[in-house]
Amino acid sequence: MSFSDFTTALLLLAAFLFLFKRLRYRSPEKLGAEGEKRIAKMLSKTSFMGYGSRLLQNLYVPSTAGGSSVTSEIDLLYLTPKGLIVIESKNFSGYIFGNDASPQWTVSLSAGRGRRGKGRSQKYHFYNPIWQNSNHIKNLIRFLGDDIPCISIIVFSDRCALMDINWNAPGTYICQLHDLTRLMRDISNAYPNVLSAEQIDRIYAQLLPLTCTDAVQKELHTQQIEYRFHESPVCPVCGAPLVLRTVKHGPNTGLSFYGCSNYPNCRYTRDL
């Protein structure tokens, strides 16, 4: 093989590896959307709650009275005769630790083995999902103007392990995706019917416009989350702390920026 052939082969290999990495990489936004899609598909297979159940995804609910532009995003809302089931999807991997009293929960990810062969791990934090969904429910009830019974469910992916999760919040459930079907059946058996089919249709029509959100509104929502944690920067995508980094290559070498400490699992960045 000539030198030019060898160089060409190296370039082709480098291009292949680059494309493979780009295709293999899934952004946090895409991972989140995939988790929500799986939950929606599972809920659509069976009418767990009987008559008239309806499903809404990605609701941007005003978080204060009076039509404020500040919003609260609900991943999935299942309108059922048992009440409104508010679902927060966490499509995470790793080992999950947390309780209903801690502002932040922890995810521990394996980082391979060190020089001495011992296993290493990296720990990151994300906002308490019980608190997060509780705020969603408060804003939803305020928007509807009616004290409709609500049930909170936090669904983690099957790629993670719930290691030490403790909570006593009433009307709150935590499970992994594979256990969601059983949980929905348990809720259906445990709760009485409180909404008629007509009431479900009315609430559905009232909330449907909140799902018709353009890219500008979604970006505004992300900026609001960033501003909320301005004093203690937190990634608006995955909830891990932001850390100060410096560009090491390219035309911006030497410039500082905020990067997610959950990198490479999360690649969110923010300029100073």
Side-chain angles (χ1 to χ4, degrees), residues 1-19:
M1 178 183 294
S2 66
F3 178 77
S4 60
D5 290 339
F6 179 73
T7 302
T8 301
L10 284 179
L11 290 174
L12 289 174
L13 178 60
F16 173 79
L17 292 176
F18 174 77
L19 290 174

Side-chain angles (χ1 to χ4, degrees), residues 1-59:
M1 178 183 294
S2 66
F3 178 77
S4 60
D5 290 339
F6 179 73
T7 302
T8 301
L10 284 179
L11 290 174
L12 289 174
L13 178 60
F16 173 79
L17 292 176
F18 174 77
L19 290 174
F20 176 78
K21 184 177 180 180
R22 290 295 298 271
L23 291 172
R24 185 172 178 266
Y25 170 69
R26 292 178 294 173
S27 68
E29 294 90 344
K30 187 173 182 180
L31 283 173
E34 289 175 357
E36 295 166 14
K37 185 176 180 180
R38 292 191 186 101
I39 295 173
K41 183 178 181 181
M42 182 171 292
L43 293 177
S44 66
K45 287 183 178 180
T46 307
S47 181
F48 296 98
M49 306 298 171
Y51 61 85
S53 297
R54 308 288 292 270
L55 181 65
L56 290 168
Q57 290 182 249
N58 302 118
L59 279 77

Side-chain angles (χ1 to χ4, degrees), residues 65-86:
S68 169
S69 60
V70 179
T71 56
S72 174
E73 184 183 5
I74 296 176
D75 291 340
L76 300 106
L77 180 63
Y78 198 31
L79 288 69
T80 78
K82 310 296 180 178
L84 307 182
I85 300 180
V86 183

Side-chain angles (χ1 to χ4, degrees), residues 243-261:
V243 295
L244 196 61
R245 301 186 187 279
T246 302
V247 180
K248 297 181 179 179
H249 306 284
N252 296 322
T253 299
L255 295 180
S256 297
F257 66 97
Y258 278 118
C260 183
S261 60

